[in-house]
Each structure stands twice: as C-alpha cells, then as structure tokens.
C-alpha cells in the first residue's frame, strides 16, 4: 500500500510574505523615525545615532534568487527522496507480495503435506490391515499344510513300518535260505577239497616218483657224460696249455669253469691253487683258449655241465 507524503516547500503566498518582510526590514534601516517631542525625557546622555545602510533592490533580488535556488535544491532533494521512498515502498510492496505468495505456497504445501501424510497414514493402515489379513491367511494355510503333512507323515511312517516288517521278514527268509545254501556249499566244498587233496596227494606221489626216476636217469646220464666228456675237455685244454719252464709235476690246480649252453667259456677261476701262481695262471689261460668246450646237449645233462670244476696236473696235460 502506498503512503502519501506531504511535500514541504515554498508556495506563491509564502514567497510574497517573505518579500514583504525583507522590504520592511530594509525600510526600517533606511528611514529615521521621529518620535513625539512632548514626552518628558529624563536627563541622560544622548544615544548614539543609528547608522542604516541602504539595501539595494539588486541585493534583494540576489537574496531572493539565492533563497529560491536553495528552496529549489531542497525541493529537488525532497523530490528525489520522495521518489526513492516511493521506489522503496514499491520494492517493499513487491517484497510483501512475494512473501505473501511464498507464505501462500508454503501454506499450500503444508496443506498438501498434511493431506499426503494423512493419505500415507491411510495407506499404511490399509497395508497393515492387508498384511495382517495376509499373515492370518498364511497362518491358516500353514496350519492346514502342517496338518496335511502330519497326516502324510503318519501314513508314510505306517507304510514304512509295514515295508520294514516285510523287509525284515524277507531278509530273515533270505538269511535262512543263504545259510542253508552255504551249509550245502560248505559240505560240497569240503567234499571237493577232500577229493582234490587226495588227487593232489596222488599226483604228488606220482610226480615225486617221476622226479626220482628222472633224477636217477639224469644222474646216470651225468655220470656217463662226465666220464665221457671230462677227459675230452681236459685234452682240449691241455692242447691249449703252454707249460711254464721249470715246472714240477707233483702239483695240481682246481679250476671252476662257467659255460654257456653251447659250451663257450664264460669264466675260469682257480678255486684251489696249486701253490704255483704261474701254473695257476697258465691253466686259466688254457681253459679260456680252449673255448668252446665240448659238452652234452641233452636236457638235464647240459645244465650239469654249465658250472663244473676241473682238476689239472702237469703230468696229465699234453703240452
């Protein structure tokens, strides 16, 4: 709301009065006024004469113009102040209007917030009620499901117990049948084992008899082969022997000879020295040079010639 401001300044009437006052003051200074002479004056000293200066019209005009300029400046200042005040009032009015709009919006927002809060509260109450109803429904369904499961579990246990009893009976019968079969199998096995032991004993007696006969046959063959082949072997070794100088005839050396299946000499080693190292070495060298040695190839006899010990004396060897 705009406020009315009273302007303070000079009007034409006040200007007229100001001019009259200034003119009267000037006349009083110019004119010497004579007072009535019939007045009895007391004996006193004469007052000093008043000197008045004459104020010219131009000076009055200058003073008037200065006053007018001052009043105009004051009027402009008042006008500027009035305009500034009006501008401030306008700004205040705009600010008050903006504050009123803000307050109105705030009140509207507060009202809407209260309505939303109420709506939210109603929704929460509705949700709580729906949640409670849902929980009650779930509890009812859970209770029904629990009862159904209990009944099903009871039936399952009863069926399981029936099957367990049947299984126990079946296993009992199977165990009895198994034991009966095992007993029969044990008896049969024992009878078979006894028969096999008897057969094995008979085979063993036959094998021992055959082995004994074979050993006797091989022994006879070996003895015959030794009597036949040893002289031949000694002769062949003697043909490959070089008699050392100054060697006596009353010494002998025993040499262990290892042979292959074909009679090749694998090694020759003195197992009983003659006491003459030169003779011992000459015998070993002669055996090695005589390889291969003649040995029988008959099975059972050949193995006996694979590792033999030969006796050598200088007088039995051909040089």
């Amino acid at each position: 709301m705009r406020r009315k401001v009273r302007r303070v300044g000079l009007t034409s009437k006040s200007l007229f009065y100001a001019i009259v006052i200034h003119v009267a003051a000037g006349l009083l200074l110019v004119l010497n006024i004579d007072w009535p002479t019939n007045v009895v004056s007391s004996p006193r000293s004469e007052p000093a004469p008043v000197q008045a200066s004459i104020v010219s019209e131009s000076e009055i005009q200058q003073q008037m113009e200065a006053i007018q300029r001052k009043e105009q400046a004051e009027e402009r200042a008042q006008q500027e102040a009035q305009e500034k005040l009006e501008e401030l009032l306008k700004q205040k009015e705009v600010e008050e209007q903006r504050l009123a709009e803000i307050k109105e919006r705030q009140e509207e927002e507060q009202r809407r917030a209260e309505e939303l809060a109420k709506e939210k509260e109603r929704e929460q109450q509705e949700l709580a009620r729906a949640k409670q109803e849902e929980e009650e429904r779930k509890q009812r369904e859970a209770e029904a499901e629990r009862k159904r499961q209990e009944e099903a579990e009871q039936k399952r246990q009863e069926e399981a117990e029936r099957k367990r009893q049947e299984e126990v009976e079946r296993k009992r019968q199977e165990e009895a049948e198994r034991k009966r079969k095992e007993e029969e199998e044990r008896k049969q096995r024992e009878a078979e084992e006894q028969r096999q032991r008897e057969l094995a004993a008979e085979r063993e007696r036959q094998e021992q008899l055959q082995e004994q006969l074979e050993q006797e046959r091989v022994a006879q063959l070996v003895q015959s082969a030794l009597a036949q082949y040893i002289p031949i072997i000694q002769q062949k070794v003697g043909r490959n022997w070089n008699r050392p100088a100054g060697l006596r005839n009353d010494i002998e050396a025993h040499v262990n000879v290892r042979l292959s299946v074909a009679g090749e000499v694998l090694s020759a080693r003195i197992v009983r020295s003659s006491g003459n190292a030169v003779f011992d070495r000459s015998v070993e060298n002669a055996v090695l040079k005589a390889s291969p040695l003649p040995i029988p190839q008959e099975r059972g006899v050949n193995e006996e010639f694979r590792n033999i010990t030969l006796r050598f004396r200088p007088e039995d060897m051909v040089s």
Side-chain angles (χ1 to χ4, degrees), residues 13 20 37 47 95 97 106 142 147 153 172 186-187 220-221 236:
K13 186 175 180 179
V20 171
T37 58
E95 184 67 19
Q97 185 177 1
Q106 290 178 347
K147 290 182 178 179
E153 180 64 20
R172 187 187 64 78
R186 184 185 64 80
K187 291 179 179 180
Q220 292 176 359
L221 292 174
K236 188 174 183 180

Side-chain angles (χ1 to χ4, degrees), residues 193-211:
E193 289 176 354
Q194 181 63 26
R195 189 177 68 83
Q196 291 294 332
R197 283 195 295 270
E198 292 175 354
L199 291 174
E202 182 63 24
R203 284 195 301 270
E204 186 177 358
R205 285 193 298 271
Q206 293 293 331
E207 289 175 356
Q208 288 177 356
L209 180 59
Q210 292 293 331
E211 184 177 356

Side-chain angles (χ1 to χ4, degrees), residues 247-289:
L247 184 66
R248 303 193 317 268
N249 288 330
D250 59 347
I251 59 174
E252 65 178 21
H254 294 255
V255 182
N256 177 261
V257 182
R258 291 178 57 249
L259 301 173
S260 67
V261 177
E264 294 177 352
V265 177
L266 302 176
S267 66
R269 180 174 59 87
I270 296 293
V271 294
R272 182 177 176 183
S273 176
S274 64
N276 189 320
V278 176
F279 176 66
D280 292 344
R281 284 195 301 272
S282 67
V283 172
E284 288 178 347
N285 292 332
V287 173
L288 293 173
K289 289 180 181 180

